[in-house]
Amino acid sequence: MSCGCVGISHAYVIFGATGNLAVTKLLPALYQLHCAGYLADDVEILGCGRTPFTSETWRAEVRQQLLARDEVETVALDNFVQRLDYLAGSLKDAAFYQSLGEWIGNDGECANNVIFYLSISPDLYVEVTEGLAAAHLLEESQGFRRMVIEKPFGHDLESARTLQHSLSEHLKEEQIYRIDHYVGKEAVQNLLVLRFANLILEPLWNRHHIDHIQITHAETVGVEGRANYYDHSGGAVRDMIQSHLLQVMALLAMEPPVSLEAEALRNEKVKVLQSIRPVDLEQLEMYAIRGQYAAGEVKGQPVPGYLQEEGVAAGSHTESYAAMKLYIDNWRWKDVPFYLRTGKRLQERRSLVAVRFKQPPMQLFQGSGIYQPHPNWLLIGIQPEDAVRMEISAKVPGLEMRTRQIVMDASVSTPGERKAEAYEELLLDVIKGDRSLFLRYDEVKAAWVVVDPVMQRWAQDEQLPLQYPAGGWGPKAAEKIFGDSGRAWRHTLSCNGGE
């Protein structure tokens, strides 16, 4: 991240400032923006929460939490915490919003521009918005009022519509920033650069040359401290596929936008999402698989099954693993399958995109002994490796015409180079008013249209999700969505990883 002050006076108001997201992501990101000179000198950050902190005790708490992290400079940290202030109160109390209005009104130039970050339960989004509106804190008279909303935006299509209707009564669409931190990852943003800054790929990026595309997000952790939320409001489809993985799919499949301006970029993503073929519910097991982790071992340590996790309801049908096969019905991608999967308690922590190209015509090698060359793969690591690899066939030295797979490997980052965290990029974009990496409502709606029928059908199924042992790669039945195509899941970036 290069240094350079944005120079926009504003106040950042964080609801849920003592929660896990604010502590582990938002405040560290704001600290890094402070260190890099991206926050104007008079920017103030107000934490709001139920914990009865004073401003002094909250500053001390934040200072201690940030000191426990790597690469913290004490002088910069001391300057940063002076930006912090705290307001305790109940989000259900009108007096709280009156006090908030008084704080904003006394904030000098920053009072004109305010960013509200809702780091709270989605159930409270409407209530907080109505409280702010009743106190006239969302009105844009001399500057801007922006609201950042964490996912999930609704828990299904109908609730997303209801939430949008409620918010739009008090906010214009351009005031709403629906954040998806996954899209803020540098490796995900690099998909745009790979697609549109390298002419070598564009002629091949279509149904004539690509056999299929896999998008994987695998975790070794379980539900950890989120069991109650995950079991009632989450699940693998809601938590990852509806938001993160469909966004990656849209970036991979979109047509070149006329510019990187926010609306041009989001228009192309919406076209992709709206072109996804509805899943055939009569043959659902060929298009979507769900599973739950059972007891097993991860990295040599025994771990309980999902149903044994504290906070998970007895007999819960919530899936911790999901895989889907989707098709995009447009000229570029007709009949090219996109395979999306995500799961908890899997063998490795890994996010990757694997693009398999079609086999070349075989006439050239008839009689040479080469009957089945390895397919070409383009592999894009998102985490933990941030890398791009291409697998191609080459001749084995010797008198016989035999081939082997070789790898062209390029690390995206150089040793010692600091990578910006996703929230740093996204919080800075909110300050600048750049909405290109934030979700528009029609994007959210189109993504729910894709997954909602599948979730509804699963909700009617009385059978438990397929069980898979923790520490593996999910239920074996997940291979069914490949049919008899000869395809298989690609687990790693290593040569022939998983095939």
Side-chain angles (χ1 to χ4, degrees):
M1 180 183 294
S2 61
C3 184
C5 184
V6 170
I8 300 175
S9 297
H10 68 280
Y12 241 111
V13 178
I14 303 175
F15 292 93
T18 60
N20 183 67
L21 176 65
V23 169
T24 62
K25 298 296 182 181
L26 303 185
L27 290 165
L30 288 167
Y31 165 75
Q32 291 297 340
L33 294 179
H34 164 85
C35 292
Y38 281 108
L39 299 183
D41 293 339
D42 59 351
V43 167
E44 291 195 53
I45 301 165
L46 177 68
C48 300
R50 291 175 298 179
T51 306
F53 284 136
T54 64
S55 294
E56 289 73 21
T57 54
W58 191 53
R59 291 188 190 112
E61 182 77 11
V62 173
R63 189 180 190 280
Q64 182 178 1
Q65 290 163 349
L66 291 178
L67 273 175
R69 301 174 65 90
D70 296 333
E71 302 177 3
V72 174
E73 299 178 5
T74 54
V75 174
L77 180 57
D78 289 340
N79 291 333
F80 173 71
V81 297
Q82 293 308 307
R83 296 182 182 271
L84 305 181
D85 208 346
Y86 190 81
L87 180 62
S90 170
L91 300 181
K92 301 178 181 295
D93 189 354
F96 167 79
Y97 298 97
Q98 183 178 350
S99 298
L100 177 57
E102 292 171 358
W103 183 89
I104 292 173
N106 294 326
D107 204 22
E109 287 294 320
C110 292
N112 295 329
N113 303 313
V114 184
I115 297 168
F116 300 105
Y117 199 113
L118 304 193
S119 178
I120 54 179
S121 169
D123 296 339
L124 296 173
Y125 290 168
V126 173
E127 188 168 20
V128 170
T129 303
E130 291 175 345
L132 291 171
H136 306 288
L137 298 180
L138 298 178
E139 298 172 2
E140 297 184 312
S141 54
Q142 300 180 48
F144 62 73
R145 294 288 191 273
R146 295 169 184 161
M147 181 175 288
V148 185
I149 298 177
E150 279 280 342
K151 78 172 186 72
F153 194 86
H155 62 270
D156 57 16
L157 179 59
E158 186 57 36
S159 62
R161 285 174 174 152
T162 301
L163 176 57
Q164 175 64 16
H165 176 74
S166 298
L167 295 181
S168 61
E169 290 183 345
H170 307 290
L171 292 160
K172 295 175 289 188
E173 175 64 22
E174 55 266 29
Q175 290 179 272
I176 304 173
Y177 288 71
R178 300 175 190 83
I179 196 168
D180 184 343
H181 73 274
Y182 205 79
V183 181
K185 292 179 181 292
E186 289 195 8
V188 174
Q189 294 180 52
N190 193 40
L191 296 176
L192 284 174
V193 179
L194 287 172
R195 284 284 319 276
F196 304 125
N198 297 288
L199 189 59
I200 189 173
L201 289 178
E202 179 56 27
L204 306 178
W205 210 255
N206 54 59
R207 59 190 174 89
H208 301 296
H209 301 283
I210 290 179
D211 178 77
H212 74 277
I213 294 177
Q214 299 180 23
I215 304 169
T216 293
H217 178 82
E219 302 178 32
T220 56
V221 298
V223 290
E224 308 301 319
R226 300 173 64 228
N228 187 60
Y229 160 76
Y230 190 89
D231 195 50
H232 290 89
S233 305
V237 172
R238 286 188 178 95
D239 195 41
M240 285 300 305
I241 291 181
Q242 185 274 337
S243 53
H244 303 331
L245 300 195
L246 281 177
Q247 280 292 308
V248 173
M249 180 178 172
L251 291 172
L252 287 166
M254 64 188 283
E255 295 298 319
V258 296
S259 72
L260 289 181
E261 188 270 332
E263 296 313 305
L265 184 63
R266 297 193 293 182
N267 286 343
E268 297 303 332
K269 289 198 294 177
V270 169
K271 290 178 186 177
V272 171
L273 295 172
Q274 292 178 339
S275 298
I276 294 176
R277 184 188 307 172
V279 173
D280 185 352
L281 298 179
E282 298 305 314
Q283 303 183 69
L284 184 57
E285 68 280 0
M286 301 303 297
Y287 291 88
I289 297 291
R290 62 173 177 161
Q292 263 183 4
Y293 61 83
E297 287 191 2
V298 176
K299 297 181 179 179
Q301 298 297 318
V303 295
Y306 181 81
L307 294 176
Q308 287 75 55
E309 298 277 14
E310 184 177 353
V312 172
S316 170
H317 283 56
T318 301
E319 77 281 357
S320 62
Y321 176 99
M324 296 183 72
K325 174 171 62 178
L326 299 174
Y327 291 93
I328 300 171
D329 285 337
N330 62 19
W331 281 38
R332 183 185 289 265
W333 297 111
K334 178 71 172 175
D335 293 332
V336 175
F338 285 72
Y339 299 98
L340 283 59
R341 66 167 171 165
T342 183
K344 293 184 177 295
R345 291 292 190 212
L346 299 182
Q347 186 171 319
E348 295 181 11
R349 171 181 174 265
R350 184 169 305 282
S351 296
L352 66 87
V353 172
V355 181
R356 176 174 159 175
F357 292 89
K358 291 184 175 181
Q359 296 280 16
M362 303 311 298
Q363 289 84 348
L364 176 63
F365 297 106
Q366 284 184 351
S368 66
I370 302 177
Y371 295 106
Q372 191 64 35
H374 295 289
N376 299 140
W377 286 88
L378 174 66
L379 305 170
I380 304 167
I382 297 175
Q383 65 181 30
E385 299 102 333
D386 187 356
V388 178
R389 295 177 183 171
M390 175 70 81
E391 291 183 2
I392 62 175
S393 295
K395 182 180 178 299
V396 176
L399 299 178
E400 297 181 359
M401 181 62 77
R402 294 187 296 113
T403 64
R404 64 183 174 195
Q405 202 82 332
I406 64 172
V407 179
M408 301 170 65
D409 190 351
S411 177
V412 175
S413 57
T414 57
E417 186 177 38
R418 181 183 178 274
K419 293 196 302 182
E421 293 291 334
Y423 276 98
E424 295 173 35
E425 173 90 20
L426 295 170
L427 294 182
L428 182 59
D429 283 350
V430 178
I431 298 171
K432 295 188 295 186
D434 182 353
R435 302 170 69 229
S436 57
L437 296 180
F438 296 84
L439 308 188
R440 208 165 61 192
Y441 173 64
D442 54 354
E443 278 185 81
V444 176
K445 177 183 175 182
W448 279 122
V449 168
V450 173
V451 303
D452 213 36
V454 175
M455 294 193 307
Q456 289 183 22
R457 179 58 64 90
W458 282 344
Q460 299 166 4
D461 190 348
E462 296 183 355
Q463 291 186 334
L464 281 172
L466 299 170
Q467 300 295 294
Y468 62 94
W473 280 108
K476 294 185 180 300
E479 300 289 339
K480 285 185 178 180
I481 64 175
F482 292 109
D484 57 0
S485 63
R487 303 173 181 128
W489 289 111
R490 182 81 195 220
H491 299 317
T492 72
L493 292 173
S494 61
C495 196
N496 293 322
E499 271 223 322

